[in-house]
Each structure stands twice: as structure tokens, then as C-alpha cells.
């Protein structure tokens, strides 16, 4: 296998006569075994946990199940279809894969609250014993988790997985093999999950910032994403070796394709911001509602003692004023 500009064409015999890309061709099932097994397992385990809760008489929001299943489906659509084959030779298709798996799938998966579900579904071990649930709780509270979910770690990681990957030889090296490509896609998904986990704040985690901080964290990462897209759109020559010589049968100009990939990266940086912002505002609203309901209940219980105390305080001031 040669790693020259023609490395990809040399690697896949089939690439030499791939038909031009259309969405219909791209969405044909290809069944990458690694991601296919991963998706089926994720859905199976989530479903098992929901059924376990239901049998116990506990409710689990349908919205969460739908969000999680949709998240798994987005991973399946980008990785278990011909998009994965086209993504090896067309930068624009690769960029769609990258954006979906690093910015859309994680948000949907996290909205499904898989950690909360796992903690509720796993049985508690007996006193003094450590079962899977106890180990998960220990991991959630570990120093390691505190570090990898801290914005000082997640934001630079989020940015580096764009700039350090695409603008160095690392990308071409990873694209040179199937394992490298899978590792890169798993990395994108993992980075998305640790970046959005504290921001979404749906699942328990070591780093739980307030709403304002979460919105700030979200907007600190996104401009870098937009700049990355703009840098690609303004390039005067193809910057990534892997995609320099697409198979002739695709009938694609590599520079135009790279500009398209840049435009996709730029446009996509807005989608998660909007989704997460809507989710945060709704969470904020509901938590305010809960707090005000709690205050009302407390006031009912105290027979409005606060008000009585305040009136007495006013009366004492008047008494002093005389």
C-alpha cells in the first residue's frame, strides 16, 4: 500500500470506478461491522435498561428513548452506509460524516441520558461489596473524569481535533488504513461526547457548571469551528493529500470538493449551537418552574411565616421611628 497522494485509490480497487456521488448511492447500506455491532449493542442495552425500569414500575421518558435511538441511527447512517466509502475519497462527504458524528450524534445520545438510565437499571450491590453500579459511580466521581470533562480540557481537545488533525500529516496517516479510519471516527464521537456532556447537563458528571457558564462553554468552542471551515473555503489549493486525487470516475474537482467540505464545516458549527441552546433554555425554564413550585409549597407549609416576620419587622421600624 503506497502512502502517496494516490494512496487511497491504490488501497481500494473499487474506488477506481465508483459512480459519481448522489445521496441515494451514499445512503445504500454497506454494513461496516465495527459500527454496526456498536449501534446494535447500544440500542439493545438501552432497550434492556428501559424495560427493566418499566417492569419495576418506574417511568422513563419516551422523549429520552427517542433521542437516544435517533442518536444511534445518525451514527449508523454515517458509518454503516456507502457514505463511509465515499468519505474515503471525497472530502465533502468525509466532512459530513465528521460533523454528524462529532456534533449531532453526541447531543442526541446525551439527551437520552444513558448514564442516568444505567445507574437506575443496575442493581445495587450488597453492603461492603462493589458491583458494576458502584464502579460506575466511582468512575463518575474520579479525578480522571473531573479532568476529561473540564472545559480547560474539552475545549482545546475539541479545537485540536480539527486543526491538529487536518492541518498535519496525522490525518493522511490515519486515512491510510481501515483501523486508522475507525479510530478517527471513534475519536470524533468521544470528543463530541466529553465536550457536550457537561454543557447539556442531562447526565450526572463531575463537572456541573451553571446555565450561564454552560452557554459560554458552548460559544467558546464554536467560533474555532467556523474559522476552520472558512480556512478551507479560502484555500487556493487542496490542503489534504488523501483527497488530492479523487477517482476520475467521480468527476470531481478536488479543490471545489474541499471548498464544499469547508462550507459544510462552517454551516454545521451553527446547528449544535441552536440545538443545545434550545435544550438549555428549556432545562433552565423547567428548573425555575420547579424552584418556584417548591417555594410555593414551602410557603403553604410555613403558613407564610416569612410574610408575618416581615410585617413584624416593618412594625418595629415604625415603632423606632416614632
Amino acid at each position: 500500500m503506497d502512502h502517496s497522494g494516490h494512496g487511497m485509490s491504490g488501497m481500494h480497487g473499487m474506488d477506481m470506478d465508483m459512480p459519481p456521488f448522489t445521496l441515494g448511492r451514499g445512503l445504500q447500506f454497506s454494513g461496516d461491522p465495527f459500527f454496526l455491532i456498536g449501534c446494535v449493542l447500544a440500542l439493545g442495552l438501552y432497550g434492556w435498561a428501559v424495560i427493566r425500569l418499566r417492569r419495576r414500575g418506574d417511568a422513563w421518558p419516551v422523549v429520552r428513548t427517542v433521542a437516544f435511538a435517533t442518536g444511534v441511527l445518525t451514527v449508523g447512517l454515517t458509518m454503516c452506509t456507502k457514505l463511509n466509502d465515499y468519505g474515503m475519497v471525497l472530502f465533502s462527504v468525509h466532512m459530513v460524516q465528521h460533523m454528524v458524528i462529532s456534533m449531532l450524534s453526541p447531543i442526541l445520545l446525551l439527551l437520552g441520558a444513558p448514564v442516568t438510565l444505567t445507574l437506575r437499571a443496575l442493581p445495587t450491590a450488597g453492603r461492603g461489596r462493589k458491583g458494576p453500579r458502584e464502579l460506575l459511580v466511582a468512575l463518575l466521581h474520579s479525578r480522571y473524569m473531573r479532568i476529561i470533562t473540564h472545559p480547560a480540557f474539552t475545549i482545546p481537545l475539541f479545537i485540536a481535533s480539527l486543526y491538529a488533525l487536518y492541518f498535519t500529516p496525522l490525518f493522511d496517516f490515519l486515512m491510510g488504513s481501515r483501523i486508522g479510519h475507525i479510530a478517527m471516527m471513534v475519536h470524533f464521537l468521544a470528543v463530541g461526547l466529553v465536550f457536550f456532556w457537561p454543557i447539556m447537563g442531562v447526565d450526572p458528571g463531575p463537572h456541573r457548571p451553571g446555565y450561564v457558564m454552560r452557554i459560554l462553554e458552548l460559544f467558546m468552542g464554536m467560533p474555532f469551528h467556523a474559522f476552520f471551515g472558512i480556512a478551507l473555503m479560502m484555500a487556493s489549493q487542496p490542503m489534504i493529500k488523501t483527497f488530492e486525487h479523487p477517482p476520475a470516475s467521480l468527476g470531481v474537482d478536488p479543490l471545489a470538493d474541499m471548498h464544499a467540505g469547508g462550507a459544510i464545516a462552517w454551516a454545521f458549527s451553527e446547528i449544535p449551537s441552536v440545538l443545545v441552546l434550545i435544550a438549555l433554555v428549556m432545562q433552565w425554564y423547567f428548573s425555575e418552574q420547579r424552584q418556584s413550585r417548591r417555594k410555593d409549597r414551602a410557603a403553604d407549609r410555613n403558613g407564610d411565616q416569612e410574610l408575618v416576620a416581615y410585617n413584624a419587622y416593618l412594625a418595629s421600624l415604625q415603632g423606632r421611628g416614632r
Side-chain angles (χ1 to χ4, degrees):
M1 181 169 63
D2 70 312
H3 283 280
S4 65
H6 297 274
M8 293 317 298
S9 336
M11 195 176 97
H12 298 286
M14 57 170 189
D15 289 352
M16 299 312 284
D17 49 345
M18 276 178 102
F21 178 78
T22 61
L23 197 57
R25 283 178 189 143
L27 290 178
Q28 283 170 359
F29 182 72
S30 72
D32 176 272
F34 180 86
F35 282 96
L36 191 62
I37 293 165
C39 288
V40 170
L41 263 178
L43 284 177
L45 289 170
Y46 194 93
W48 168 81
V50 172
I51 291 164
R52 200 180 151 93
L53 286 192
R54 286 272 158 85
R55 284 214 181 119
R56 211 166 60 193
D58 288 344
W60 181 255
V62 176
V63 179
R64 293 221 163 136
T65 309
V66 171
F68 188 84
T70 312
V72 173
L73 191 69
T74 57
V75 175
L77 273 177
T78 47
M79 299 311 302
C80 301
T81 59
K82 289 280 192 330
L83 283 180
N84 206 18
D85 298 332
Y86 279 104
M88 297 296 272
V89 288
L90 285 177
F91 183 65
S92 52
V93 178
H94 166 83
M95 216 54 196
V96 170
Q97 282 185 293
H98 176 173
M99 294 297 115
V100 169
I101 210 164
S102 72
M103 293 168 86
L104 185 61
S105 308
I107 293 172
L108 291 165
L109 293 171
L110 289 165
L111 282 172
V115 177
T116 307
L117 180 65
T118 309
L119 287 171
R120 286 178 62 184
L122 287 173
T124 315
R127 180 172 293 167
R129 292 216 308 277
K130 282 207 167 166
R133 189 178 187 280
E134 287 69 23
L135 292 172
L136 178 60
V137 171
L139 177 67
L140 287 174
H141 292 292
S142 65
R143 181 192 282 163
Y144 169 74
M145 270 297 176
R146 269 207 299 279
I147 293 168
I148 71 158
T149 57
H150 195 278
F153 180 82
T154 60
I155 295 171
L157 182 70
F158 192 69
I159 296 161
S161 74
L162 285 173
Y163 293 85
L165 185 68
Y166 287 95
F167 298 156
T168 66
L170 185 60
F171 183 83
D172 294 318
F173 169 73
L174 289 171
M175 287 294 276
S177 70
R178 189 143 199 83
I179 293 170
H181 185 238
I182 288 173
M184 177 164 54
M185 289 300 174
V186 170
H187 168 80
F188 290 151
L189 182 62
V191 169
L193 286 168
V194 294
F195 178 74
F196 289 111
W197 181 13
I199 294 173
M200 303 300 292
V202 175
D203 267 334
H207 171 62
R208 296 302 296 269
Y211 289 99
V212 177
M213 263 316 290
R214 277 151 58 178
I215 290 167
L216 280 176
E217 276 180 43
L218 175 67
F219 286 113
M220 272 151 75
M222 293 307 143
F224 291 98
H225 225 279
F227 290 143
F228 169 74
I230 292 165
L232 290 171
M233 283 158 74
M234 292 176 71
S236 54
Q237 65 205 54
M239 290 160 78
I240 298 154
K241 268 208 176 76
T242 302
F243 301 108
E244 252 176 9
H245 305 283
S249 63
L250 291 173
V252 169
D253 167 29
L255 186 60
D257 185 53
M258 195 176 83
H259 289 165
I264 289 162
W266 175 68
F268 220 100
S269 62
E270 301 309 313
I271 296 172
S273 311
V274 174
L275 278 178
V276 174
L277 214 51
I278 293 168
L280 281 183
V281 168
M282 283 174 72
Q283 282 174 28
W284 204 339
Y285 171 74
F286 287 124
S287 81
E288 291 290 318
Q289 293 282 88
R290 273 199 300 274
Q291 273 175 331
S292 65
R293 276 204 298 274
R294 212 172 290 140
K295 280 189 184 134
D296 290 346
R297 279 202 300 274
D300 291 344
R301 273 202 303 276
N302 308 341
D304 289 333
Q305 279 167 339
E306 280 179 28
L307 195 60
V308 174
Y310 185 60
N311 286 336
Y313 169 67
L314 288 179
S316 75
L317 285 183
Q318 279 175 330
R320 239 178 272 159
R322 281 200 186 109

